[in-house]
Amino acid sequence: MHFTKLGRGPRILLAFHGIGQDGMSCFQTLENTLGDHYTIFAFDLFFHGKSADADLEIVTKDYWKSVLVDFLAQNNIPNFDVMGFSMGGRFALATLEAFPDKIKNTYLVAPDGISENPLYTLATRNSAGRALFRWTMQKPALFFKTILLLKKMGIVNNSLVRFTKNVLNTPSKRQNIFKSWTAFRALRFVIPQIIGIANQNDIRIFLFTGQFDKLLTLKAVNPLAKLLPKNQNVHLKSGHSQLVAKAGVWICTLFE
């Protein structure tokens, strides 16, 4: 799995990006804000960036742990912090579960994996749903017409429509979404158990959400938000795409 190294700080931060991104495009802004505090390993997750040719049908928690065991050994990293943005939230949570004795801070920025959207359940949890999902990504005309109809009915907002068009506007992007959604389906979490692991190991979990974020609802992260101390539940004046940069500015205050 490819990574880009950013910053020069004494601490180590493993950073996992969102759908349709790569490590550099997602986390480059952190070099200016956190680069004196952290050396950042910004990964290109499977099927993305320079890890796009990954040949995997499913990423289990055990497999993910084995990947990081090798990475940590090769780079002589004994302890680290973790950040996950959007889809990368699943990988941040899986990393916390796998290495609780090595982590002090986990930053979840508009994270996926806290609760599961019914559409994701339909598309990934059984073979019939995955077959329908594959067909939809190969022949997306009906899907796009449905999205526009839902917009007219007020069921989905403009931000979601724009995001959907951006990540699905080419055959390669649609294949990327199909591979990612189906391969990452085993990364599921029981949030009270995550909190228990964090508390037992003195790990601070910071949840960042955006006041103007139309892609992640507060309801989706409420199972985690309600279990965190108030000062670790951070609501910023930001939309979805700017949230990583603004979270980086906020995280700087931890080092003042």
Side-chain angles (χ1 to χ4, degrees):
M1 200 166 51
H2 179 79
F3 62 82
T4 300
K5 205 170 177 180
L6 303 168
R8 59 215 157 269
R11 299 167 180 255
I12 300 296
L13 180 67
L14 309 187
F16 309 114
H17 61 77
I19 196 82
Q21 298 180 307
D22 57 49
M24 184 67 169
S25 66
C26 185
F27 297 111
Q28 187 174 16
T29 59
L30 297 185
E31 189 162 32
N32 292 330
T33 53
L34 295 178
D36 288 335
H37 306 293
Y38 281 113
T39 296
I40 303 161
F41 290 84
F43 288 87
D44 289 0
L45 292 173
F46 308 112
F47 319 119
H48 292 75
K50 294 183 179 179
S51 303
D53 59 352
D55 185 18
L56 295 166
E57 290 188 5
I58 191 163
V59 177
T60 64
K61 291 181 180 181
D62 286 341
Y63 177 74
W64 177 244
K65 183 175 182 178
S66 72
V67 169
L68 285 188
V69 164
D70 290 344
F71 164 79
L72 296 173
Q74 290 168 9
N75 291 276
N76 193 27
I77 297 174
N79 299 288
F80 55 90
D81 290 344
V82 181
M83 176 180 285
F85 172 61
S86 195
M87 175 191 72
R90 289 179 182 265
F91 289 86
L93 290 169
T95 304
L96 185 155
E97 275 194 348
F99 303 97
D101 58 325
K102 296 181 179 295
I103 298 171
K104 288 302 177 188
N105 297 293
T106 297
Y107 310 113
L108 301 175
V109 186
D112 189 22
I114 306 303
S115 59
E116 188 162 296
N117 187 292
L119 181 60
Y120 186 85
T121 302
L122 174 65
T124 66
R125 291 300 168 206
N126 58 71
S127 58
R130 291 191 292 274
L132 176 61
F133 184 27
R134 183 191 294 273
W135 181 86
T136 302
M137 292 297 96
Q138 292 172 344
K139 301 181 182 298
L142 179 60
F143 175 79
F144 285 125
K145 288 179 181 178
T146 302
I147 288 289
L148 292 176
L149 177 61
L150 293 175
K151 175 187 172 184
K152 289 181 180 178
M153 297 171 62
I155 296 174
V156 301
N157 57 61
N158 288 331
S159 294
L160 181 58
V161 172
R162 287 194 299 270
F163 176 80
T164 302
K165 287 182 176 179
N166 183 56
V167 299
L168 296 175
N169 61 5
T170 68
S172 62
K173 287 183 179 181
R174 292 193 292 272
Q175 181 70 356
N176 171 283
I177 293 291
F178 174 79
K179 287 182 176 180
S180 299
W181 272 34
T182 55
F184 302 160
R185 67 185 186 273
L187 301 180
R188 305 175 75 180
F189 309 94
V190 178
I191 296 305
Q193 290 182 5
I194 291 287
I195 292 295
I197 292 170
N199 290 340
Q200 290 167 16
N201 292 274
D202 295 323
I203 300 171
R204 294 187 298 178
I205 299 176
F206 293 90
L207 173 63
F208 295 90
T209 52
Q211 181 178 342
F212 311 116
D213 189 346
K214 303 298 183 182
L215 299 180
L216 179 89
T217 65
L218 295 180
K219 181 180 179 181
V221 294
N222 188 56
L224 174 63
K226 67 183 182 181
L227 298 176
L228 290 178
K230 188 175 181 180
N231 65 338
Q232 292 170 217
N233 190 1
V234 185
H235 196 52
L236 299 173
K237 290 184 178 180
S238 175
H240 192 75
S241 61
Q242 303 85 29
L243 199 49
V244 168
K246 295 199 173 184
V249 174
W250 191 95
I251 292 168
C252 279
T253 65
L254 297 175
F255 300 100
E256 292 177 354

